[in-house]
Amino acid sequence: MHSKLLLALASLGLATAAQAEVTDQMIQNEATTKGSVLTWGVNTQGQRYSPLKQVNTATVGKLAPVWAFSFGGEKQRGQEAQPVIYNGRMFVTASYSRIFALDATTGKKLWKYEHRLPEGIMPCCDVVNRGAALYDNLVIFATLDAQLVALDQATGDVVWKEKIDDYAAGYSATAAPIIANGLILTGVSGGEFGVVGRVEARDARTGAMVWSRPTVEGHMGYTYDKEGNKKENGISGTVNKSWPGDLWKTGGAATWLGGTYDAKTGLAYFGTGNPAPWNSHLRQGDNLFSCSTVAIDIKTGQIKWHYQGTPNDSWDFDGVNEFVTFDMDGKRVGGKADRNGYFYVNDASTGELLNAFPFVKKITWASSIDLKTGRPNFIADNRPGSPTDGDGGSKGSPVFAAPGFLGGKNQMPMAYSPDTKLFYVPANEWGMEIWNEPVAYKKGAAYLGAGFTIKPLNPDYIGAMRAIDPKTGRTVWEVKNTAPLWGGVLTTGGNLVFWGTPEGYLKAADAKTGKVVWEFQTGSGVVAPPVTWQQGGEQYVSVVSGWGGAVPLWGGEVAKKVNLLEQGGMVWVFKIPSAGGATKKAAAGDAKLAAN
């Protein structure tokens, strides 16, 4: 069947069984196509931009619910998933490692898979899952007991299942996998338990390992042949170069948010979490590759470059946040709003630092970033003290630090618009009191060596949706929010920015001015990113609603401030009523022309 006809039929929601397989080319075209959402991040670069324009600043006021679906049961914990949509089906994950296939037009449940979880799983920050990957006829997602499961898109039957690592040692998996040239790329969660972070590449059709790349300096990488035999592929970095003693063996640097991929550079970009333990006085040195962006050649599994935002981290400033690639001044570059409060722009091919600036109002751990060396200018007095210098070794001197360890931005992904050339960043203004404590590693036990409490910085708001110019560092506009923002962002060709709030609202603002032009109350807090797609000539918008995640578990005084919020578990889908009649006819005409 002619490719143009297939695309036209897909835009009408008329895809056939013969073309049900998701291909690499389809995934790479996702930045410009309209009929589906094939990957976490909306495109593999993580831009979360859709060119759809039917819902725009002039029409968004008519946006109304079409259907809603409840995840049901007694498992209404944090719902952080981004749905993926293809061939008239929505695939959406839910808390406790569940996944649902729904009719994308009506919300009818087609099938459900509920992973059987063992006793003793140790997720750090709620029993969340952030989404699935589509490839061939498979839908693939990770589970809280550190497994990877591939299901048949049509039936929900298990096609393959592979173990990532040992959940009893603190490993888990919550991120949405991504697909790059037939490989499924995944990271690991569990940085608070002394795990060793890594990125793995598997054959997406079979689950067979292709390569594994550790993100803690000193550990060996491997490649695998078709029989599963492994071969050494070089140590990450140099043993003991940036880690003292044996601490690198339980070094953390978990890749718990997953990654992005850019076909123009051939590199996958993964952020790495905090070094373990939190007490930085035990591990003098930069502690590579923690709190970094690592760029990995997907063909070889080698780290081509790295950039470390917080060397010798003492504040739990995980560097896992997404590295979003885009074009600027004729270069392929990437932007990252780091948990430490700074926004970084790096050359996507070499890692060269091009710009760095604060995207939150208060930062106490560093005064600035040196653009020549790429290193932060630390404020020494604002690092928590060593327990050996405190009261008999029980507690180091506390400091007040901003941002708090939940970050200027955390798991909630930002968006980039090639139309406005702005990033839309869900930022939070909060701080913490933090101190260090003695600690020793024990397999499967929390490995912190610190105490803390989160505190708000302002009486009237914590969260702020900010439009940021990556060239100048200027905040073009902001929309403040009483509670912290914990859900992701979507921007569209209709000059809109969509995001959710813990108070339950899905909001849309003018991408150029920040004026809020629409909102809808979903009934529970939104801590997930919205998506949009076109089907049957009509544009749909969807978001998952369900309060939870790290804030109510770790948020200290902030958690108390938002303890009135109710948990939930719903998928909401919206469109403009009767908007698609004329568009349907036009799309049918396109299909006819393509057939000719």
Side-chain angles (χ1 to χ4, degrees), residues 221-450:
Y222 294 95
T223 58
Y224 298 78
D225 63 23
K226 292 183 179 180
E227 286 71 43
N229 302 307
K230 68 180 182 180
K231 179 181 178 181
E232 291 185 351
N233 192 29
I235 291 173
S236 298
T238 304
V239 179
N240 284 137
K241 185 174 181 179
S242 65
W243 288 85
D246 289 338
L247 282 178
W248 60 277
K249 295 179 179 179
T250 51
T255 47
W256 59 261
L257 190 58
T260 58
Y261 168 69
D262 194 310
K264 291 184 178 180
T265 64
L267 300 176
Y269 306 92
F270 276 72
T272 63
N274 58 283
W278 287 18
N279 183 348
S280 63
H281 297 277
L282 296 176
R283 42 174 176 75
Q284 297 298 319
D286 284 353
N287 313 138
L288 292 175
F289 295 90
S290 67
C291 298
S292 299
T293 298
V294 292
I296 301 175
D297 187 323
I298 65 164
K299 293 181 179 179
T300 66
Q302 297 285 353
I303 295 176
K304 185 169 182 181
W305 61 259
H306 75 274
Y307 176 77
Q308 188 172 41
T310 317
N312 194 227
D313 172 42
S314 192
W315 305 271
D316 190 39
F317 286 154
D318 294 45
V320 297
N321 291 355
E322 67 283 3
F323 184 81
V324 179
T325 54
F326 64 106
D327 293 320
M328 187 176 80
D329 296 336
K331 275 188 176 182
R332 198 64 163 172
V333 302
K336 177 175 178 176
D338 202 286
R339 195 149 142 178
N340 67 23
Y342 285 98
F343 192 106
Y344 300 91
V345 181
N346 297 79
D347 185 299
S349 297
T350 67
E352 177 190 1
L353 182 64
L354 304 174
N355 201 5
F357 52 85
F359 67 93
V360 294
K361 308 281 188 188
K362 190 176 181 66
I363 296 176
T364 64
W365 66 277
S367 59
S368 60
I369 307 298
D370 187 320
L371 293 181
K372 291 182 179 179
T373 65
R375 297 183 66 83
N377 293 309
F378 286 107
I379 301 173
D381 290 344
N382 288 340
R383 181 183 293 271
S386 170
T388 58
D389 299 330
D391 54 352
S394 62
K395 181 178 176 180
S397 56
V399 298
F400 184 81
F405 75 89
L406 291 176
K409 191 183 86 64
N410 200 284
Q411 64 86 21
M412 50 284 192
M414 63 186 180
Y416 172 78
S417 170
D419 300 331
T420 64
K421 295 181 171 48
L422 299 176
F423 276 93
Y424 301 97
V425 182
N428 288 312
E429 301 285 350
W430 44 19
M432 64 179 172
E433 186 179 16
I434 183 169
W435 58 91
N436 285 322
E437 300 168 346
V439 67
Y441 173 76
K442 180 181 178 182
K443 180 180 176 180
Y447 189 41
L448 297 184

Side-chain angles (χ1 to χ4, degrees), residues 559-593:
K560 295 176 184 177
K561 190 171 182 178
V562 294
N563 64 5
L564 75 159
L565 302 174
E566 298 294 339
Q567 290 185 319
M570 296 278 288
V571 185
W572 286 91
V573 174
F574 308 85
K575 71 173 183 177
I576 298 172
S578 303
T583 314
K584 261 187 197 176
K585 291 179 183 178
D590 290 343
K592 187 175 180 181
L593 285 171

Side-chain angles (χ1 to χ4, degrees), residues 148 160 162-163 180-186 198-213 221-233 296-302:
L148 202 58
W160 57 259
E162 295 291 339
K163 179 180 176 180
N181 287 6
L183 300 176
I184 186 158
L185 305 181
T186 55
R198 68 178 184 271
V199 178
E200 290 183 348
R202 297 173 182 268
D203 184 309
R205 288 188 175 90
T206 67
M209 284 282 286
V210 176
W211 53 258
S212 177
R213 174 51 52 193
Y222 294 95
T223 58
Y224 298 78
D225 63 23
K226 292 183 179 180
E227 286 71 43
N229 302 307
K230 68 180 182 180
K231 179 181 178 181
E232 291 185 351
N233 192 29
I296 301 175
D297 187 323
I298 65 164
K299 293 181 179 179
T300 66
Q302 297 285 353

Side-chain angles (χ1 to χ4, degrees), residues 75 94-100 111-118 121 129 141-151 156 158 160-164 167 173:
K75 298 181 176 181
S95 53
Y96 289 100
S97 303
R98 296 173 289 165
I99 184 168
F100 296 81
W111 54 257
K112 174 179 81 168
Y113 172 82
E114 188 163 358
H115 187 71
R116 179 174 290 182
L117 291 168
I121 57 170
N129 189 284
F141 80 116
T143 66
L144 286 167
D145 61 342
Q147 294 193 55
L148 202 58
V149 182
L151 308 168
V158 175
W160 57 259
K161 185 187 296 184
E162 295 291 339
K163 179 180 176 180
I164 298 172
Y167 71 87

